[in-house]
Amino acid sequence: MFHNRRKVYMPQTSETKNGDPTPTTEAGNQADIASQEAVTTPTVSWVSGDSRSLPVVIDTSSVSSASAVPVQLVQFPHNLPKKLRIIRAKNGAAYSVRFDKKNRYVLAVGTRVLNNIIREEGYSEGLTLRQSSITDVNHYLQAKAEAAATSHDVWYRVAPVDGGVEVDLGDDAHTRVRITAGKVEPVEDGSKTLFYRNQSMQPMARPAETGNIKLLQKYANLGDAEFPLFKGWLTYTLAHPKLPSSKYVILVISGNQGSGKSVLCRLILQLLDPNSIGIRVMPGNTKDLAIAAQNAHVLCYDNVRGFSEVLSDAFCVAATGGAIASRQLYSDAEQAVIYLHVALVLNGIDSFIGQPDLAQRCVTVVMKALKDSHRKSEADMAAGLQADLPAIMRGLFDLIAKVFVHLPNAEVSNPERMVDFSRWLAAMELADGVPDGLYQDSYSFSIKQGQRDSLLDSNLAAAVLSFAEDQITDQWAGTPTELLKALNALATSGTLRSKGWPLTAIALSKRLLPLQAGLLSQGITVELSRGKHRVVTITKSGVKK
């Protein structure tokens, strides 16, 4: 790890009261993670290369308290009181636990903020540290973290707690809000949750004492039937940390030019995950999407016109959780794993969800057309929103707390593929005191319409849909050859020459399989029997309620 010209000495020492290293005679117990006391059995190594050597102290002794977080301690020049407490996150990253605020938090090893702390420690000891020395220290800290036997949960913006969630407001005081069944509590100090931040994170609005979620309707240009879905998506997304079990529904915002789609996206980010990047353009590839997902709770993509099947599959993975792997370097066989799990918002004018599998993971809201008399300048909108944000934020928190009360007893009447969201809407129906199934019916209708739009984007699917709805009374059965002949009779000359149109019966059979789920959402069942003679059976059972 170090250059050959450098020497590394690793004598066994302990600290005296004034911080000078002295020989160790007996190993002691490490204090709790929150303790500022000196360690008893450190190992010291001096990293040469600057005008003065830089001692780094690492402690790997066990923790005396069962409730404490086992950590490794790194101490800089002997008479400096500050220490870096290093832990390994479950994704393998190294973090330094910080105690300079009432709520503890972590900084990632290698980030600009932690590097500046290292430099500051050096300056206070009369050391001017070169970048190479800081890089060596970071490599050393990462190595020690990777060697640690225990890993810890580190969260971004939202974390699970017993009975609910804890939200990092992102302010300088590291204030959190804990939301459980029927309770919304600010946490000014004493939180044990480890949150990390990145350079783009910005603070959320501090919630008011009294909430008013109805103020949200002033800024969300949505109809009465779609606003509850939007409200449900906001609260569901904020109430679900990035746990393996969390399934994020993709919010699709559709509307004509000037209907306020981008304004709504900016509102979503201000409410759920404020950051300096804001709305993004479509990622160029899956890796870019995964890297962005590592540093956000919500990603908003603007003016979407379409995307490849590869990116469509990546959006599906992002909704339910997964990972991508690639070579660490082209010169070796090491794999770099990037976890892909994030809430997504996609907005655009035209229908751009072309894959039925992706459509099942989406909820679509359509923006109303804005009259010229109702238009406001962005400056006026922003000023009004800043005044209303605290009440809106508290209203969202209060609704989440109410949903947590009803969630255990909520009954799903219309289960969809993202059944957790259906259950959330069922609980929100109880919290809002509306008829059972009202919000769930709206969600099912949105899914059905999204599936239909995605089918119509495929020439073959559109042809099968038209054949089933217009040519079949109840059921049709025949060979793939007979079906292809019937579909060819309905298709235009341009459709017959299109790339996706099957030229043979075998190609038709293969291309029908991916369409089965989407067609089923429209009340059309397509079955292919296997045997000496293949038979395609198309049954029209009515629209799924």
Side-chain angles (χ1 to χ4, degrees):
M1 176 168 59
F2 304 124
H3 296 297
N4 291 334
R5 64 185 178 84
R6 300 182 180 184
K7 295 183 178 179
V8 179
Y9 304 94
M10 304 188 71
Q12 292 298 316
T13 67
S14 65
E15 284 188 357
T16 59
K17 247 182 180 180
N18 62 9
D20 294 328
T22 58
T24 297
T25 57
E26 185 178 357
N29 291 326
Q30 180 181 337
D32 183 85
I33 188 172
S35 173
Q36 297 295 326
E37 295 179 1
V39 297
T40 57
T41 59
T43 299
V44 183
S45 67
W46 280 265
V47 184
S48 308
D50 294 304
S51 58
R52 294 180 57 180
S53 59
L54 173 65
V56 180
V57 182
I58 303 290
D59 175 59
T60 55
S61 55
S62 61
V63 179
S64 57
S65 171
S67 63
V69 178
V71 296
Q72 300 180 23
L73 305 184
V74 179
Q75 186 177 5
F76 289 97
H78 58 79
N79 62 349
L80 295 177
K82 289 189 177 180
K83 299 180 179 70
L84 296 181
R85 287 162 172 78
I86 303 301
I87 64 168
R88 175 170 61 89
K90 291 192 174 177
N91 65 356
Y95 291 91
S96 170
V97 184
R98 307 297 297 168
F99 298 92
D100 52 329
K101 304 292 181 182
K102 292 183 178 180
N103 287 322
R104 69 185 185 183
Y105 63 100
V106 297
L107 295 174
V109 170
T111 56
R112 178 180 56 83
V113 176
L114 189 58
N115 285 346
N116 286 338
I117 290 174
I118 294 173
R119 287 190 180 93
E120 217 177 295
E121 295 290 354
Y123 291 152
S124 63
E125 185 63 12
L127 300 174
T128 301
L129 303 181
R130 298 175 184 173
Q131 185 59 45
S132 60
S133 290
I134 293 176
T135 300
D136 282 341
V137 171
N138 284 329
H139 288 169
Y140 195 32
L141 301 183
Q142 182 69 50
K144 298 305 288 188
E146 289 176 359
T150 306
S151 61
H152 308 284
D153 288 313
V154 176
W155 306 96
Y156 181 88
R157 191 64 84 175
V158 184
V161 294
D162 188 23
V165 294
E166 191 168 291
V167 180
D168 179 13
L169 292 184
D171 60 5
D172 291 339
H174 287 265
T175 308
R176 288 86 185 272
V177 175
R178 187 171 295 140
I179 310 172
T180 53
K183 292 183 180 179
V184 177
E185 304 168 292
V187 183
E188 305 285 353
D189 61 78
S191 172
K192 302 300 183 185
T193 308
L194 297 179
F195 281 108
Y196 79 94
R197 298 177 178 180
N198 54 46
Q199 295 182 30
S200 65
M201 178 190 270
Q202 292 182 339
M204 302 170 76
R206 191 176 181 88
E209 290 294 326
T210 303
N212 186 355
I213 200 169
K214 292 182 180 179
L215 292 173
L216 187 60
Q217 288 181 288
K218 292 166 54 177
Y219 308 97
N221 183 32
L222 300 169
D224 293 338
E226 291 175 309
F227 180 75
L229 289 180
F230 177 62
K231 183 176 67 173
W233 182 88
L234 285 175
T235 52
Y236 174 86
T237 302
L238 190 57
H240 284 78
K242 289 185 181 180
L243 291 165
S245 58
S246 295
K247 312 299 180 187
Y248 294 116
V249 179
I250 299 171
L251 179 65
V252 176
I253 302 174
S254 179
N256 293 326
Q257 184 177 357
S259 59
K261 300 183 298 296
S262 297
V263 172
L264 188 61
C265 284
R266 283 193 284 270
L267 172 62
I268 290 169
L269 289 177
Q270 283 191 280
L271 290 171
L272 303 187
D273 192 12
N275 62 80
S276 59
I277 298 174
I279 308 173
R280 305 166 188 248
V281 297
M282 284 293 290
N285 51 60
T286 304
K287 187 174 183 180
D288 289 344
L289 174 66
I291 291 173
Q294 291 279 295
N295 295 284
H297 187 65
V298 179
L299 294 175
C300 289
Y301 291 105
D302 199 16
N303 293 325
V304 180
R305 290 178 173 83
F307 39 80
S308 66
E309 291 186 4
V310 172
L311 205 52
S312 177
D313 292 341
F315 286 153
C316 291
V317 173
T320 54
I324 64 170
S326 61
R327 279 191 295 176
Q328 184 78 26
L329 297 171
Y330 287 107
S331 58
D332 60 35
E334 286 283 337
Q335 273 198 330
V337 178
I338 307 176
Y339 294 96
L340 179 54
H341 197 194
V342 71
L344 292 169
V345 180
L346 310 175
N347 89 59
I349 296 175
D350 301 321
S351 174
F352 50 81
I353 304 297
Q355 299 296 320
D357 191 41
L358 178 61
Q360 288 183 320
R361 292 168 165 84
C362 297
V363 57
T364 302
V365 294
V366 180
M367 306 286 290
K368 297 186 297 182
L370 272 175
K371 297 180 180 179
D372 290 339
S373 59
H374 292 172
R375 295 188 184 278
K376 295 181 180 179
S377 69
E378 289 200 20
D380 291 340
M381 288 276 290
L385 181 58
Q386 288 305 312
D388 291 337
L389 265 179
I392 294 173
M393 185 63 68
R394 181 56 188 260
L396 288 176
F397 289 167
D398 287 341
L399 181 55
I400 292 171
K402 290 178 182 177
V403 171
F404 280 155
V405 171
H406 296 288
L407 201 57
N409 300 316
E411 294 185 4
V412 178
S413 58
N414 287 334
E416 297 293 345
R417 180 167 186 169
M418 307 296 274
V419 68
D420 289 344
F421 186 58
S422 296
R423 182 171 291 107
W424 186 268
L425 291 176
M428 200 172 81
E429 291 167 353
L430 296 173
D432 285 350
V434 300
D436 293 345
L438 180 64
Y439 297 161
Q440 296 177 72
D441 287 345
S442 295
Y443 175 47
S444 294
F445 180 77
S446 173
I447 292 287
K448 175 183 174 296
Q449 288 300 110
Q451 291 279 73
R452 187 175 187 86
D453 289 342
S454 69
L455 289 170
L456 293 177
D457 278 345
S458 163
N459 286 328
L460 177 60
V464 174
L465 193 63
S466 176
F467 176 71
E469 291 179 342
D470 300 336
Q471 307 293 322
I472 298 176
T473 302
D474 294 311
Q475 190 178 84
W476 178 93
T479 66
T481 301
E482 292 170 335
L483 178 59
L484 181 59
K485 182 179 180 181
L487 296 177
N488 284 339
L490 296 174
T492 64
S493 58
T495 298
L496 293 175
R497 292 193 300 269
S498 64
K499 183 179 179 181
W501 191 261
L503 300 179
T504 66
I506 294 176
L508 173 64
S509 298
K510 291 180 178 179
R511 293 178 186 179
L512 281 176
L513 294 175
L515 301 177
Q516 286 177 309
L519 290 168
L520 183 61
S521 71
Q522 308 304 302
I524 298 168
T525 303
V526 177
E527 297 175 322
L528 286 83
S529 62
R530 294 182 178 275
K532 185 176 180 180
H533 300 289
R534 287 198 171 193
V535 176
V536 181
T537 303
I538 302 177
T539 306
K540 187 164 64 174
S541 57
V543 175
K544 181 184 175 185
K545 294 183 179 180

